[in-house]
Amino acid sequence: MAIHRGSVWSDSAALVISTLASVVLMPVGATAQALADVQTPDTPLVLKAQGSFFIGGETVEQTKVQLGDLGPGGHITINQMYVRYMVPQGGEANVPVVMLHGATLTGKSWETTPDGRMGWDEYFVRKGHPVYVPDQVGRGRSGFNQAVLNDVRAGLATPDRLPPWLRFSDEGVWPNFRFGAKPGEPFADTQFPMAAIGELSKQAVPDPSFGFPQPNPNWKALADLAGQLKGAVLMGHSQSGSFPLEAALLNPTAAKGLVLVEPGRCPEYTAEQIKTLASVPTLVVFGDHRDTPTGLPTLPTWQQRFEMCQATTGRVRAAAGRAEMLAPPARGVR
Amino acid sequence: MAIHRGSVWSDSAALVISTLASVVLMPVGATAQALADVQTPDTPLVLKAQGSFFIGGETVEQTKVQLGDLGPGGHITINQMYVRYMVPQGGEANVPVVMLHGATLTGKSWETTPDGRMGWDEYFVRKGHPVYVPDQVGRGRSGFNQAVLNDVRAGLATPDRLPPWLRFSDEGVWPNFRFGAKPGEPFADTQFPMAAIGELSKQAVPDPSFGFPQPNPNWKALADLAGQLKGAVLMGHSQSGSFPLEAALLNPTAAKGLVLVEPGRCPEYTAEQIKTLASVPTLVVFGDHRDTPTGLPTLPTWQQRFEMCQATTGRVRAAAGRAEMLAPPARGVR
């Protein structure tokens, strides 16, 4: 991988990328995760700080019914984003990395793997980077706006007002996540620890964001988080793969680098937007078996997504920016 | 506080209780939480291990519609419990502490406080205890079963099939959490950092568990977690305050101690159940202003809950068990 070093590509960002390349190549185990299977590292993890906080949030007034009909009506907060963090001792001055998860998932994505290995969160902390792991607005510890659910329950709104709540079936993830073309038939060269697929299933939560208004509130939350961190590398995955681009457009000076892990799309930006994105180093990572039909015919295939991002990164480079595609299989590594 | 030491009251459990007493008396700050307000300890946190895993979960088959109508129907996992943990270096042999949160909240309850101070999770880790923080089944990173929501949306189920999704209004928490009898009028001696009340509001998520079938699936998950830990002190708060009792009834040998922080109820157990609970040391903690009307007239007041637990702990003691009430205000400390 050719990493261009220059005024816009800090050494810190380059370190994140080299750390990422190591993660992609980490060997996988073959045991199913349970508490007894969770692995313990050989050396302790020394943290300057750890904890959690929220970004954003709006105060809205809701009725007694909308609040579940137990207590009085009044105000609540919606659209806040929960963020958990770990700062390594001695690494507090290094560029922070924000890891945002994909569809039907939460920040758990970046923690202990389904087969009990260290998550990317701790891996990057051990490489010296402060790591910030949000739950997307509307999911996990960020909560969601329940008002319409309770209104429908009470007959005060029609059921078509409900958002769709998405989950992927265990069978559906085989072709979509490219473990194999058909459920139960893994590719001979799959890198996923198939014995732990049941543990992956437990990571899923209902995802209401397909019913979100645009712009997706996560874009601003991500940009605000980068700003409050006074600069960060922003990493998105799958559904959120393009969110770092959107956050960079909202706050380009706070985006020190963008890492798009198998983004679900690379939007067709205007020339002005591409010019802005050219100020931020960007890496787009895709894995193998991209031509597998996903079983989701209304969405692009992974190969189509790859080509969309090839086009976007090409435009960024043509605007004198730094944007690279990283496809480990094409380099002989899986 | 008289801590009885005996065959059922381990030194480790006593250490947890003394740690708890210190936490209750921790001074509070007065600043609102934001990333910039989050405090960093003076000394690093040295962890043997940290990460997350799931307890339990059931595989069920759902239709395309029930899964949100994007991908194919098939199987998913429901009723799993997400658990995040930290194990202190050198404390791995000490008794673990499980901290379960209350209504409309998640494990965030035990992390960084609304005004940016260290959470109870890290505080107990720094005192030498492995700490395990779940999200209750149906909330946060544990997810929930979305099938009925999508069925109602599609007109395949009637709206009355929806569970109530509870949240407390910002106004309602003043009397219910006893910050003051009325919103905006804190008690002169309140210990809550009122400037951070907006940050507390962000911790709330919709709570579907008032529609759960009985027995509440969290009871078994908590008992199973204690079993997999080969013994743990189980701490519940408010809504989940009685869950440690229920988990101890399911697996009394794995329950090394029970801490009930302002439990919403102390159930009327049978003589046989009380005999089982007498094998596990139990501490029940209540704060001040318990006679404040909660604004939730269908539920007991905090004073009524206090008296329920006085009765239960009295029965446990009469059965030769160890069960104590701790009310710091009655001891002249707030």
Side-chain angles (χ1 to χ4, degrees), chain B residues 300-332:
Chain B
T301 66
W302 292 102
Q303 180 60 26
Q304 288 169 329
R305 289 160 168 161
F306 182 85
E307 290 165 9
M308 272 192 268
C309 294
Q310 274 188 317
T312 300
T313 51
R315 291 180 66 202
V316 171
R317 284 196 303 276
R322 318 286 192 202
E324 301 286 334
M325 300 290 288
L326 173 66
R331 293 164 190 266

Side-chain angles (χ1 to χ4, degrees), chain B residues 14-62:
Chain B
L15 176 59
V16 169
I17 302 308
S18 68
T19 300
L20 177 71
S22 305
V23 169
V24 170
L25 306 180
M26 282 171 75
V28 296
T31 57
Q33 182 191 354
L35 172 52
D37 296 320
V38 171
Q39 300 172 20
T40 299
D42 296 330
T43 56
L45 178 67
V46 184
L47 299 178
K48 170 77 171 176
Q50 71 83 39
S52 59
F53 58 91
F54 291 92
I55 292 287
E58 301 149 33
T59 301
V60 295
E61 187 167 10
Q62 298 190 344

Side-chain angles (χ1 to χ4, degrees), chain B:
Chain B
M1 182 176 91
I3 295 182
H4 300 273
R5 292 173 188 269
S7 59
V8 298
W9 186 256
S10 72
D11 285 350
S12 292
L15 176 59
V16 169
I17 302 308
S18 68
T19 300
L20 177 71
S22 305
V23 169
V24 170
L25 306 180
M26 282 171 75
V28 296
T31 57
Q33 182 191 354
L35 172 52
D37 296 320
V38 171
Q39 300 172 20
T40 299
D42 296 330
T43 56
L45 178 67
V46 184
L47 299 178
K48 170 77 171 176
Q50 71 83 39
S52 59
F53 58 91
F54 291 92
I55 292 287
E58 301 149 33
T59 301
V60 295
E61 187 167 10
Q62 298 190 344
T63 66
K64 184 176 192 293
V65 164
Q66 288 172 330
L67 293 172
D69 219 13
L70 180 67
H75 294 81
I76 64 166
T77 308
I78 60 169
N79 287 345
Q80 66 273 33
M81 174 185 267
Y82 167 84
V83 184
R84 197 166 200 288
Y85 68 93
M86 293 190 282
V87 179
Q89 180 79 0
E92 51 269 29
N94 292 338
V95 65
V97 181
V98 176
M99 300 180 176
L100 194 58
H101 59 82
T104 81
L105 297 167
T106 71
K108 163 61 182 168
S109 273
W110 307 107
E111 298 176 355
T112 312
T113 66
D115 60 333
R117 289 170 297 127
M118 181 187 300
W120 286 27
D121 62 342
E122 182 175 337
Y123 188 89
F124 276 69
V125 169
R126 286 178 178 266
K127 294 292 183 183
H129 289 278
V131 169
Y132 293 77
V133 178
D135 284 354
Q136 280 197 41
V137 174
R139 253 175 288 171
R141 292 177 168 184
S142 297
F144 59 87
N145 184 354
Q146 82 303 324
V148 70
L149 280 65
N150 286 324
D151 271 344
V152 170
R153 178 173 182 265
L156 300 175
T158 51
D160 60 350
R161 291 280 312 285
L162 294 171
W165 293 86
L166 182 67
R167 280 192 66 174
F168 296 123
S169 69
D170 296 346
E171 293 85 351
V173 303
W174 282 75
N176 189 30
F177 296 173
R178 294 122 63 208
F179 302 143
K182 292 181 184 175
E185 299 179 15
F187 294 122
D189 58 356
T190 187
Q191 296 297 293
F192 188 84
M194 298 312 305
I197 196 167
E199 295 299 320
L200 177 66
S201 177
K202 298 180 187 176
Q203 295 191 11
V205 302
D207 181 348
S209 61
F210 289 76
F212 273 4
Q214 295 299 316
N216 187 314
N218 285 294
W219 301 351
K220 182 173 186 305
L222 189 59
D224 288 350
L225 174 57
Q228 290 191 35
L229 290 171
K230 304 188 196 315
V233 169
L234 305 179
M235 188 186 303
H237 173 226
S238 192
Q239 175 189 60
S240 74
S242 61
F243 293 6
L245 299 169
E246 304 291 347
L249 291 172
L250 291 170
N251 192 348
T253 59
K256 298 305 182 192
L258 311 179
V259 181
L260 286 53
V261 181
E262 301 225 315
R265 60 195 293 255
C266 276
E268 292 189 22
Y269 291 117
T270 65
E272 189 179 12
Q273 288 172 318
I274 291 288
K275 189 177 165 188
T276 300
L277 292 175
S279 69
V280 186
T282 298
L283 181 74
V284 184
V285 186
F286 274 92
D288 54 6
H289 295 290
R290 294 190 300 267
D291 54 356
T292 309
T294 61
L296 306 174
T298 60
L299 299 179
T301 66
W302 292 102
Q303 180 60 26
Q304 288 169 329
R305 289 160 168 161
F306 182 85
E307 290 165 9
M308 272 192 268
C309 294
Q310 274 188 317
T312 300
T313 51
R315 291 180 66 202
V316 171
R317 284 196 303 276
R322 318 286 192 202
E324 301 286 334
M325 300 290 288
L326 173 66
R331 293 164 190 266
V333 290
R334 292 176 181 278

Side-chain angles (χ1 to χ4, degrees), chain A residues 89-115:
Chain A
Q89 179 78 2
E92 52 270 29
N94 292 336
V95 66
V97 182
V98 177
M99 301 182 174
L100 194 58
H101 60 82
T104 81
L105 296 168
T106 71
K108 163 62 181 167
S109 275
W110 308 106
E111 299 176 353
T112 313
T113 68
D115 61 333

Side-chain angles (χ1 to χ4, degrees), chain A residues 133-152:
Chain A
V133 178
D135 285 354
Q136 279 197 40
V137 174
R139 255 175 287 169
R141 292 177 169 184
S142 297
F144 59 87
N145 184 354
Q146 82 302 322
V148 70
L149 280 66
N150 286 324
D151 271 345
V152 170

